[in-house]
Amino acid sequence: YMTLLLRCGMPITTAVGATSCSAVAVSRAIKNVCGIDTGIKWVNDILVNGKKVCGILTEASLDVESGALSYAVLGIGVNVYPPVGGFPADIKNKAGALCDTKQPGLKNRLAAEIITRFFSYYSSLAAKTYLDPYRSRCIVPGKNITVLSGGRETPAYAVMIDDDCRLLVRYDDGSEEYLSSGEISIRL
């Protein structure tokens, strides 16, 4: 749907918030433009009625000398409309779209709102003004989940989102771990 190139030069500890703040920006943009409430599935998926309507991916390059980010590429894919013929069988129960019928100018309005919302957070990324809205929209804390890592699926309980948008999980044996990236599965 859109890609943003961010030439930031900020410390990596600050820049990691770009994905989380973009999730809040997309969620708020969808509400403002389409009137649809969304939830965030940690760390980078936007859901409507339990179906994924948006995925966000951030890739970055680190300047080894300064320890700061040289640039980041932020990809935001939004299913504004379903594909012609519907979603493929293997994802039709997981994927959703914002609207069933085409609406003139909707994609442009949504893109403009996402960009506006994103840069309102990004301009003060270190202040983490996106953190409370992220936590309030995140559907994962308080739920039983499966952590997918290294080809293994491990049951866990999602405890909370910390101040760095890491997910604190508690495993069945009582041990806890902060996840800063990766995949989880949750039954809605």
Side-chain angles (χ1 to χ4, degrees), residues 64-137:
V64 179
E65 288 181 23
S66 70
L69 224 55
S70 295
Y71 66 86
V73 178
L74 182 67
I76 301 172
V78 180
N79 296 334
V80 178
Y81 306 109
V84 174
F87 289 101
D90 60 329
I91 63 169
K92 73 178 182 178
N93 293 326
K94 297 186 246 179
L98 298 177
C99 300
D100 291 329
T101 58
K102 302 257 181 197
Q103 298 178 26
L106 178 61
K107 286 183 175 182
N108 291 337
R109 289 192 317 274
L110 186 59
E113 185 72 11
I114 290 170
I115 291 167
T116 299
R117 296 283 173 186
F118 173 76
F119 281 107
S120 72
Y121 290 119
Y122 184 74
S123 64
S124 60
L125 201 56
K128 298 184 181 183
T129 57
Y130 61 88
L131 188 56
D132 286 338
Y134 185 91
R135 285 179 173 143
S136 70
R137 287 169 170 80

Side-chain angles (χ1 to χ4, degrees), residues 3-20:
T3 302
L4 301 175
L5 174 61
L6 309 170
R7 297 209 180 263
C8 37
M10 64 180 65
I12 188 71
T13 54
T14 301
V16 295
T19 302
S20 301

Side-chain angles (χ1 to χ4, degrees), residues 1-4 22 44 54-59 72-77:
Y1 188 67
M2 71 173 64
T3 302
L4 301 175
S22 65
N44 58 352
C54 173
I56 300 164
L57 179 63
T58 307
E59 294 186 19
V73 178
L74 182 67
I76 301 172

Side-chain angles (χ1 to χ4, degrees), residues 41 47 50 139-146 158 184-188:
K41 179 185 153 245
L47 305 180
I139 63 165
V140 175
K143 305 264 188 337
N144 291 315
I145 63 170
T146 302
I184 63 165
S185 174
I186 183 170
R187 289 193 186 243
L188 300 172

